[in-house]
């Protein structure tokens, strides 16, 4: 089955600096790569996603890149703010018709220091 | 606005008890999922369902079963709870026909004594 590795497990940055979280996946059939943010005590919520036919996607301060050949994808947060502090999960998903299986990474706890 | 609800936020059970965790979504989503979340291990898929009465094993199905009799409801069953099943359980739903986004419930923190 799919295996998703995520690094680092914890990350501390100064407010205003950039943060990068990296993930690798094993199954070349994976075709959808979402990123979820989980604030303390809350449910995970989608913040950005990318499909296998796209190399990069950006949404304001957040960007995701995908390298299908190397089977890795990364989340980039620029100009970090204290409210970015949370646990971030990457995931790799195989979708075929109505069938969707999602495998998550182990999470990165991001702390933004004011 | 998608709403995914879970029957309990906190649950305490004894070893050997049969435990039911229920999840309900109101957006007519075809897919529903059960995960457990443990520190350092991320979200691990227990079971998922892509249609009524259909179920697929995830990565850690041992000790669990599921039921999906109606489209909006997906139940996770611990036939005989054990202490190593103490965890946070998260339900999610999605509709691949529309979007691959998973919408999560608030979670149930289960403690097995």
């Amino acid at each position: 089955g799919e295996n998703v590795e995520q690094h680092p497990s914890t990350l501390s940055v100064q407010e205003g600096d950039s943060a990068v979280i990296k993930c690798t996946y094993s199954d070349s059939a994976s075709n959808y790569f979402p990123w979820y943010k989980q604030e303390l005590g809350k449910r995970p919520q989608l913040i950005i996603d990318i499909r296998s036919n796209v190399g990069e996607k950006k949404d304001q301060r957040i960007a995701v890149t995908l390298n299908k050949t190397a089977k890795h994808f990364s989340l980039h947060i620029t100009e970090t703010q204290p409210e970015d502090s949370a646990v971030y999960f990457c995931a790799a998903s195989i979708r075929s018709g109505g069938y969707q299986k999602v495998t998550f990474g182990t999470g990165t706890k991001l702390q933004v220091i004011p | 606005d998608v709403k995914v609800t879970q029957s309990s936020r906190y649950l305490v059970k004894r070893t050997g008890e049969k435990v039911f965790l229920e999840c309900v979504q109101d957006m007519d989503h075809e897919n529903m999922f059960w995960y457990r979340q443990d520190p350092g291990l991320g979200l691990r898929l227990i079971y998922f369902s892509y249609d009524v009465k259909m179920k697929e094993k995830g990565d850690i199905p041992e000790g669990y079963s599921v039921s999906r009799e109606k489209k909006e409801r997906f139940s996770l069953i611990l036939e005989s709870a054990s202490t190593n099943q103490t965890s946070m359980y998260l339900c999610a739903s999605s509709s691949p026909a529309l979007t691959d986004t998973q919408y999560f419930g608030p979670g149930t923190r289960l403690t097995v004594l």
Side-chain angles (χ1 to χ4, degrees), chain A residues 36 38 43 51 95 100, chain B residues 31 37 94 100-102 104:
Chain A
Y36 285 81
Q38 186 178 30
R43 66 191 80 186
R51 299 191 183 279
R95 181 160 83 79
Q100 179 190 32
Chain B
N31 287 11
Q37 183 174 17
S94 70
D100 290 301
T101 304
Q102 288 184 302
F104 284 86

Side-chain angles (χ1 to χ4, degrees), chain A residues 43, chain B residues 1-4 25-27 29 93 103:
Chain A
R43 66 191 80 186
Chain B
D1 215 21
V2 177
K3 184 176 279 186
V4 181
Q25 49 93 5
D26 67 354
M27 283 301 292
H29 283 176
S93 72
Y103 295 89

